[in-house]
Amino acid sequence: MNPRDINDLWQDPAAPSFLIAEVAQAHDGSLGTAHAYIDAVAKTGADAIKFQTHIAAEESSELDTWRVKFSRQDATRYDYWKRMEFTAEQWAGLKQHAEEKGLVFLSSPFSLAAIDLLERLGVTAWKVASGEVTNRLFLDAMIATRKPVLVSSGMSYLEEMDATVALLKAAGSPAAVFQCTTAYPCPPEKIGLNQVSELMQRYDCPIGLSDHSGTSYPSLAAVTLGARLIEVHITFSREMFGPDVSASLTTDEFAKMVEGIRFIERMKASPMVKDASAEQMEPLRRMFGQSLVAATDLAAGTALTRDNLSCRKPGHGISAANLESVIGRTLKHAVKAAHFLSLDDFQ
């Protein structure tokens, strides 16, 4: 199975949303677990799987302190990033496995060395983490490859995003922007769903949502508003270890989200013309509609009033909608109760 071409996002406005399952550090440094995530993600219907490429000696230092001390195993953040490392050969194996499963392989680099490693692997696009939006060393290195650059806006001022998007566009790099809130898990009040529409107008490029709510709701809503990319963390279980677990979907939940998004896309691609739909429903309208009938036995010469009339299914006679057209009309012969009235009954 061939992975989807991410360039469709810029070349085909009608292309389906690009759905990314982010593993990040959910593998907890285990190569086997990382490969297991590839197999699991391939079953969800995702378009891509995304990791994070860490090379501790190239990205961290002794000054790199814990934001939240979550690991009992790692004394420092440097130790944690070191444990998250894979070799170039191991990354190549992960990329090959992903592509064999029909997934686009993506990974956020966190050092220039990581960018170089991923470029040698032949990644098809770059994902700029929210903390690196203003990092010109990173951006220039990515621009030099002329590949698409997906930018996360989590911690950025709009002025910074403006400058980065302008830089990418001026260099001819296809750009996409994610609305993102750096909160794990992110409450609904901080999702920033309004930013999907606002960023679409501001940047005239594919806009996505990188969601950390731990639910599928923001992603479903974002696609309804026109988001072209969705990125959500994934986990085997919320009982797993890791800093992103509370902000993740399980593989089953991710698959349900994918199903919902594809359903929404089919709805959006098929706008309804209400009158044309009603015309197609004429047989059903007659079947379920109601016709005017005599409420009681009525004698010849009776001038019809509302009290003389009732209604019954089906709607093959005089429609109840045409009540006013028969009020005051005179019967030319007697009719029984529940008789379906017709124009032949009137003088």
Side-chain angles (χ1 to χ4, degrees):
M1 183 185 299
N2 292 324
R4 180 176 165 187
D5 186 355
I6 195 171
N7 289 293
D8 286 348
L9 288 169
W10 294 271
Q11 298 170 358
D12 181 5
S17 299
F18 193 82
L19 310 181
I20 304 168
E22 177 164 10
V23 177
Q25 277 77 247
H27 53 74
D28 198 39
S30 165
L31 182 63
T33 301
H35 279 283
Y37 270 110
I38 292 173
D39 289 327
V41 167
K43 296 175 184 177
T44 68
D47 294 304
I49 188 167
K50 190 179 87 67
F51 294 91
Q52 294 182 3
T53 300
H54 294 281
I55 304 173
E58 297 290 339
E59 74 174 75
S60 188
S61 72
E62 61 184 14
L63 300 178
D64 191 8
T65 57
W66 291 106
R67 182 174 65 89
V68 176
K69 180 69 165 68
F70 61 85
S71 175
R72 297 174 182 269
Q73 182 175 355
D74 307 296
T76 66
R77 274 171 63 88
Y78 183 97
D79 294 336
Y80 178 66
W81 299 135
K82 186 69 179 174
R83 193 162 61 80
M84 294 302 106
E85 291 182 7
F86 295 130
T87 67
E89 291 73 23
Q90 290 169 334
W91 279 120
L94 289 167
K95 180 175 182 291
Q96 180 180 354
H97 184 185
E99 292 172 349
E100 287 172 352
K101 290 293 185 177
L103 295 168
V104 174
F105 173 88
L106 298 172
S107 190
S108 295
F110 287 86
S111 64
L112 292 171
I115 293 175
D116 181 64
L117 186 158
L118 292 170
E119 174 62 9
R120 284 185 278 114
L121 289 182
V123 293
T124 58
W126 300 104
K127 173 64 193 298
V128 181
S130 58
E132 309 294 348
V133 168
T134 60
N135 189 332
R136 278 298 298 268
L137 291 172
F138 277 26
L139 295 173
D140 288 346
M142 293 173 181
I143 287 170
T145 70
R146 305 195 68 78
K147 294 175 180 177
V149 182
L150 318 179
V151 184
S152 219
S153 65
M155 296 187 285
S156 299
Y157 291 101
L158 277 173
E159 182 180 1
E160 294 172 331
M161 290 300 302
D162 290 348
T164 295
V165 173
L167 177 70
L168 294 171
K169 287 188 172 185
S173 294
V177 175
F178 285 93
Q179 162 54 18
C180 174
T181 302
T182 306
Y184 300 80
C186 184
E189 297 81 5
K190 294 184 178 181
I191 297 294
L193 194 62
N194 62 299
Q195 286 296 313
V196 173
S197 300
E198 292 180 22
L199 294 176
M200 287 169 61
Q201 296 178 2
R202 192 177 189 95
Y203 296 131
D204 189 27
C205 72
I207 300 299
L209 178 70
S210 179
D211 176 47
H212 304 130
S213 69
T215 75
S216 63
Y217 308 136
S219 298
L220 297 172
V223 169
T224 303
L225 294 176
R228 304 288 309 285
L229 305 98
I230 295 294
E231 179 184 83
V232 180
H233 283 269
I234 198 162
T235 183
F236 287 136
S237 165
R238 289 202 178 84
E239 295 177 344
M240 298 287 288
F241 170 80
D244 302 321
V245 170
S246 64
S248 301
L249 297 184
T250 66
T251 50
D252 286 345
E253 290 170 339
F254 194 97
K256 281 292 185 183
M257 182 195 75
V258 172
E259 180 183 355
I261 287 173
R262 298 310 183 208
F263 194 102
I264 290 168
E265 289 173 338
R266 289 174 63 188
M267 290 192 293
K268 291 181 66 178
S270 305
M272 175 185 286
V273 178
K274 193 62 178 174
D275 284 352
S277 175
E279 185 177 359
Q280 293 176 349
M281 296 294 161
E282 279 299 334
L284 287 177
R285 283 163 56 85
R286 289 192 293 272
M287 180 182 297
F288 292 104
Q290 300 217 11
S291 301
L292 293 173
V293 300
T296 61
D297 292 345
L298 298 175
T302 300
L304 296 180
T305 67
R306 283 177 178 265
D307 292 337
N308 300 140
L309 299 170
S310 185
C311 53
R312 297 282 190 281
K313 293 179 182 178
H316 294 171
I318 298 174
S319 170
N322 295 325
L323 171 68
E324 297 298 331
S325 70
V326 301
I327 297 295
R329 297 197 68 171
T330 303
L331 292 174
K332 65 182 181 183
H333 51 244
V335 298
K336 295 290 187 180
H339 171 75
F340 279 72
L341 297 170
S342 72
L343 294 179
D344 291 339
D345 295 323
F346 302 127
Q347 293 181 3

